[in-house]
Every structure is written in structure tokens, then in C-alpha cells.
Coordinates of all heavy atoms in Angstrom, one line a residue:
T17 N -18.5 -4.2 4.0 CA -18.5 -2.9 4.6 C -20.1 -2.7 5.1 O -20.5 -1.6 5.4 CB -18.2 -1.8 3.8 OG1 -18.8 -1.8 2.4 CG2 -16.7 -2.1 3.5
N18 N -21.0 -3.5 4.5 CA -22.4 -3.4 4.9 C -22.6 -3.5 6.5 O -22.1 -4.4 7.1 CB -23.3 -4.5 4.3 CG -24.7 -4.4 4.6 OD1 -25.1 -4.6 5.6 ND2 -25.5 -4.1 3.5
P19 N -23.2 -2.4 7.1 CA -23.3 -2.4 8.6 C -24.0 -3.6 9.1 O -23.7 -3.9 10.2 CB -24.1 -1.1 8.9 CG -24.7 -0.6 7.5 CD -23.8 -1.2 6.4
I20 N -25.1 -4.1 8.5 CA -25.7 -5.3 9.0 C -24.9 -6.4 9.0 O -24.8 -7.1 9.9 CB -27.1 -5.6 8.2 CG1 -28.1 -4.3 8.4 CG2 -27.7 -6.8 8.6 CD1 -29.2 -4.4 7.6
E21 N -24.2 -6.6 7.8 CA -23.3 -7.7 7.7 C -22.2 -7.7 8.7 O -21.6 -8.6 9.3 CB -22.8 -7.9 6.2 CG -24.0 -8.3 5.3 CD -23.5 -8.5 3.9 OE1 -22.3 -8.0 3.5 OE2 -24.3 -9.1 2.9
R22 N -21.7 -6.5 8.8 CA -20.5 -6.4 9.8 C -21.0 -6.7 11.2 O -20.2 -7.2 12.1 CB -20.0 -4.9 9.8 CG -19.2 -4.6 8.5 CD -18.9 -3.0 8.5 NE -17.9 -2.8 9.6 CZ -16.6 -2.9 9.5 NH1 -16.1 -3.4 8.4 NH2 -15.7 -2.6 10.4
K23 N -22.2 -6.3 11.6 CA -22.7 -6.8 13.0 C -22.9 -8.3 13.0 O -22.6 -8.8 14.1 CB -24.0 -6.0 13.1 CG -24.6 -6.3 14.6 CD -25.8 -5.5 14.7 CE -26.3 -5.7 16.3 NZ -27.7 -4.9 16.5
M24 N -23.3 -8.9 11.9 CA -23.5 -10.3 12.0 C -22.2 -10.8 12.0 O -21.9 -12.0 12.8 CB -24.1 -10.8 10.6 CG -25.5 -10.4 10.5 SD -26.2 -10.6 8.9 CE -25.8 -12.1 8.4
M25 N -21.1 -10.5 11.3 CA -19.8 -11.0 11.4 C -19.1 -10.8 12.8 O -18.3 -11.6 13.3 CB -18.9 -10.3 10.3 CG -19.2 -10.8 8.9 SD -19.5 -12.6 8.8 CE -18.0 -13.3 9.4
A26 N -19.4 -9.7 13.4 CA -19.0 -9.4 14.8 C -19.4 -10.6 15.8 O -18.8 -11.1 16.6 CB -19.3 -8.1 15.3
G27 N -20.8 -10.8 15.6 CA -21.3 -12.1 16.4 C -20.7 -13.4 16.0 O -20.4 -14.1 17.0
F28 N -20.3 -13.6 14.8 CA -19.6 -14.8 14.3 C -18.3 -14.9 15.0 O -17.9 -15.9 15.6 CB -19.6 -14.8 12.8 CG -18.9 -16.0 12.3 CD1 -19.6 -17.1 11.8 CD2 -17.5 -16.0 11.9 CE1 -19.0 -18.2 11.3 CE2 -16.8 -17.1 11.5 CZ -17.6 -18.2 11.0
F29 N -17.4 -13.7 14.8 CA -16.2 -13.8 15.5 C -16.2 -13.9 16.9 O -15.3 -14.6 17.5 CB -15.4 -12.5 15.0 CG -15.0 -12.6 13.6 CD1 -15.2 -11.4 12.8 CD2 -14.3 -13.5 13.0 CE1 -14.9 -11.3 11.4 CE2 -13.9 -13.6 11.7 CZ -14.1 -12.5 11.0
S30 N -17.2 -13.3 17.6 CA -17.3 -13.5 19.0 C -17.5 -14.9 19.5 O -16.9 -15.5 20.4 CB -18.4 -12.6 19.6 OG -18.5 -12.7 21.0
A31 N -18.4 -15.6 18.7 CA -18.7 -17.1 19.0 C -17.3 -17.9 18.8 O -16.9 -18.7 19.5 CB -19.7 -17.5 18.0
L32 N -16.6 -17.5 17.7 CA -15.4 -18.2 17.4 C -14.3 -18.1 18.5 O -13.7 -19.0 19.0 CB -14.8 -17.8 16.1 CG -13.5 -18.3 15.7 CD1 -13.6 -19.9 15.6 CD2 -13.0 -17.8 14.3
D33 N -14.2 -16.8 19.0 CA -13.2 -16.4 20.0 C -13.5 -17.2 21.3 O -12.7 -17.8 21.9 CB -13.2 -14.9 20.4 CG -12.6 -14.2 19.2 OD1 -11.9 -14.7 18.4 OD2 -12.9 -13.0 19.2
R34 N -14.9 -17.4 21.6 CA -15.2 -18.2 22.7 C -14.8 -19.7 22.6 O -14.5 -20.3 23.6 CB -16.8 -17.9 23.0 CG -17.1 -16.6 23.5 CD -18.5 -16.6 24.1 NE -19.6 -16.9 23.1 CZ -20.1 -16.1 22.3 NH1 -19.8 -14.9 22.3 NH2 -21.1 -16.6 21.5
M35 N -15.0 -20.2 21.4 CA -14.7 -21.5 21.1 C -13.2 -21.7 21.4 O -12.8 -22.9 21.8 CB -15.1 -21.9 19.7 CG -16.6 -22.0 19.4 SD -17.3 -23.5 19.7 CE -19.1 -23.1 19.3
L36 N -12.3 -20.8 21.1 CA -10.9 -20.9 21.3 C -10.3 -20.6 22.5 O -9.2 -20.9 22.6 CB -10.4 -20.1 20.0 CG -10.7 -20.3 18.5 CD1 -10.0 -19.3 17.7 CD2 -10.4 -21.7 18.1
E37 N -11.1 -20.2 23.3 CA -10.7 -19.8 24.7 C -10.0 -21.0 25.4 O -10.5 -22.1 25.3 CB -11.7 -19.2 25.6 CG -12.1 -17.8 25.3 CD -13.3 -17.2 26.1 OE1 -13.7 -18.0 27.0 OE2 -13.7 -16.1 25.9
G38 N -8.8 -20.8 26.0 CA -8.1 -21.8 26.7 C -7.3 -22.7 25.8 O -6.6 -23.6 26.4
M39 N -7.4 -22.5 24.6 CA -6.6 -23.4 23.6 C -5.2 -23.0 23.5 O -5.0 -21.8 23.5 CB -7.3 -23.6 22.3 CG -8.7 -24.3 22.4 SD -9.2 -24.6 20.6 CE -10.9 -25.3 21.0
S40 N -4.3 -23.8 23.3 CA -2.9 -23.5 23.0 C -2.3 -24.5 22.1 O -1.3 -25.2 22.2 CB -1.9 -23.5 24.3 OG -2.1 -24.7 25.0
P41 N -2.9 -24.6 20.9 CA -2.5 -25.5 19.8 C -1.0 -25.2 19.2 O -0.8 -24.0 19.0 CB -3.5 -25.4 18.7 CG -4.0 -24.1 18.8 CD -3.9 -23.8 20.3
A42 N -0.3 -26.3 18.9 CA 0.9 -26.0 18.2 C 0.8 -26.1 16.8 O 1.6 -25.4 16.0 CB 2.0 -27.2 18.6
T43 N -0.3 -26.7 16.2 CA -0.5 -26.9 14.9 C -2.0 -26.6 14.6 O -2.9 -27.0 15.2 CB -0.2 -28.3 14.3 OG1 -0.8 -29.3 15.1 CG2 1.4 -28.6 14.3
I44 N -2.2 -25.7 13.5 CA -3.6 -25.3 13.2 C -3.7 -25.5 11.7 O -2.9 -24.9 11.0 CB -4.0 -23.9 13.7 CG1 -3.6 -23.8 15.2 CG2 -5.4 -23.6 13.3 CD1 -3.8 -22.4 15.6
V45 N -4.8 -26.1 11.1 CA -5.0 -26.0 9.8 C -6.5 -25.6 9.7 O -7.5 -26.0 10.4 CB -5.0 -27.5 9.2 CG1 -5.7 -27.6 7.8 CG2 -3.6 -28.0 9.2
E46 N -6.7 -24.6 8.6 CA -8.0 -24.2 8.3 C -8.3 -24.7 6.9 O -7.7 -24.6 5.9 CB -8.2 -22.6 8.2 CG -9.7 -22.2 7.9 CD -9.9 -20.9 7.7 OE1 -8.9 -20.0 7.5 OE2 -11.0 -20.5 7.5
V47 N -9.5 -25.5 6.9 CA -9.9 -26.2 5.7 C -10.9 -25.2 5.0 O -11.9 -24.8 5.8 CB -10.5 -27.5 6.1 CG1 -11.0 -28.2 4.7 CG2 -9.5 -28.4 6.6
G48 N -10.8 -24.9 3.9 CA -11.8 -24.0 3.2 C -11.4 -22.6 3.5 O -12.3 -21.7 3.9
A49 N -10.2 -22.1 3.4 CA -9.7 -20.9 4.0 C -10.1 -19.8 3.2 O -10.0 -18.6 3.6 CB -8.1 -21.0 4.2
G50 N -10.5 -19.9 1.9 CA -10.9 -18.8 1.0 C -9.8 -17.9 1.0 O -8.6 -18.2 0.7
E51 N -10.1 -16.4 1.3 CA -9.1 -15.5 1.1 C -8.2 -15.4 2.2 O -7.1 -14.8 2.3 CB -9.7 -14.0 1.1 CG -10.7 -13.9 -0.2 CD -12.0 -14.5 0.0 OE1 -12.4 -15.0 1.0 OE2 -12.9 -14.3 -0.9
G52 N -8.3 -16.3 3.2 CA -7.4 -16.4 4.4 C -7.7 -15.5 5.4 O -6.7 -15.3 6.4
R53 N -8.8 -14.9 5.6 CA -9.0 -13.9 6.6 C -9.1 -14.6 8.0 O -8.5 -14.0 8.9 CB -10.3 -13.1 6.3 CG -10.2 -12.4 5.1 CD -11.2 -11.3 4.9 NE -11.2 -10.8 3.5 CZ -10.5 -9.9 3.0 NH1 -9.5 -9.4 3.9 NH2 -10.5 -9.5 1.8
I54 N -9.7 -15.7 8.1 CA -9.6 -16.5 9.3 C -8.3 -17.1 9.7 O -7.9 -17.0 10.8 CB -10.6 -17.7 9.2 CG1 -12.2 -17.0 9.1 CG2 -10.6 -18.5 10.5 CD1 -12.7 -16.1 10.3
T55 N -7.6 -17.5 8.7 CA -6.2 -18.1 8.8 C -5.3 -17.0 9.4 O -4.6 -17.3 10.3 CB -5.6 -18.6 7.5 OG1 -6.7 -19.3 6.7 CG2 -4.5 -19.5 7.8
G56 N -5.4 -15.9 8.9 CA -4.6 -14.8 9.3 C -5.0 -14.4 10.8 O -4.2 -14.2 11.7
R57 N -6.2 -14.4 11.1 CA -6.8 -14.2 12.5 C -6.2 -15.3 13.4 O -5.8 -14.8 14.6 CB -8.3 -14.2 12.4 CG -8.9 -13.7 13.8 CD -10.4 -13.8 13.7 NE -11.0 -13.3 14.8 CZ -11.5 -12.1 15.0 NH1 -11.4 -11.2 14.1 NH2 -12.1 -11.7 16.1
L58 N -6.2 -16.5 13.0 CA -5.6 -17.6 13.9 C -4.2 -17.4 14.1 O -3.6 -17.7 15.1 CB -5.9 -18.9 13.2 CG -7.5 -19.4 13.1 CD1 -7.6 -20.4 12.1 CD2 -7.9 -19.6 14.6
A59 N -3.4 -17.0 13.1 CA -1.9 -16.8 13.2 C -1.7 -15.7 14.1 O -0.6 -15.7 15.0 CB -1.4 -16.5 11.8
E60 N -2.5 -14.6 14.1 CA -2.3 -13.6 15.1 C -2.7 -14.0 16.6 O -2.1 -13.6 17.5 CB -3.3 -12.4 14.8 CG -2.8 -11.7 13.5 CD -3.7 -10.6 13.1 OE1 -4.8 -10.2 13.8 OE2 -3.5 -9.8 12.1
R61 N -3.7 -14.8 16.7 CA -4.1 -15.2 18.0 C -3.1 -16.2 18.6 O -2.9 -16.2 19.9 CB -5.6 -15.8 17.9 CG -6.0 -16.3 19.4 CD -7.4 -16.9 19.3 NE -7.9 -17.3 20.6 CZ -8.9 -16.7 21.3 NH1 -9.5 -15.7 20.7 NH2 -9.2 -17.1 22.5

């Protein structure tokens, strides 16, 4: 919830979204998933 960290994470997610543009994978694995926040984001996308 730290505003600086939230801004940093917004930049991180923006870069990730650009990397994923145009992809249509049938199978996705996240290695080092931790709490699963990225995994859940991938499932939504």
C-alpha cells in the first residue's frame, strides 16, 4: 500500500502487459509464483 512502491509496481505491470501483447498461449506456467498474484493476473488475461 506504499504509494512509491505502488507506482513502481504499476510500471512493472505495464512492462509485463507490453511483453504479453499479441500472445494467445494455451498453456502458461509461472515459476516462483509466491502468493499467486501474477498467476491470478495471467488467468484473468
Side-chain angles (χ1 to χ4, degrees):
T17 59
N18 180 289
I20 295 175
E21 291 181 347
R22 287 176 66 87
K23 184 174 182 179
M24 289 164 54
M25 292 313 307
F28 181 90
F29 285 129
S30 179
L32 176 60
D33 287 341
R34 289 194 299 272
M35 295 274 178
L36 299 177
E37 283 180 4
M39 294 188 187
S40 55
T43 52
I44 305 171
V45 170
E46 185 189 7
V47 177
E51 296 84 1
R53 304 196 186 275
I54 297 293
T55 317
R57 188 182 180 95
L58 292 167
E60 291 177 1
R61 183 182 180 109

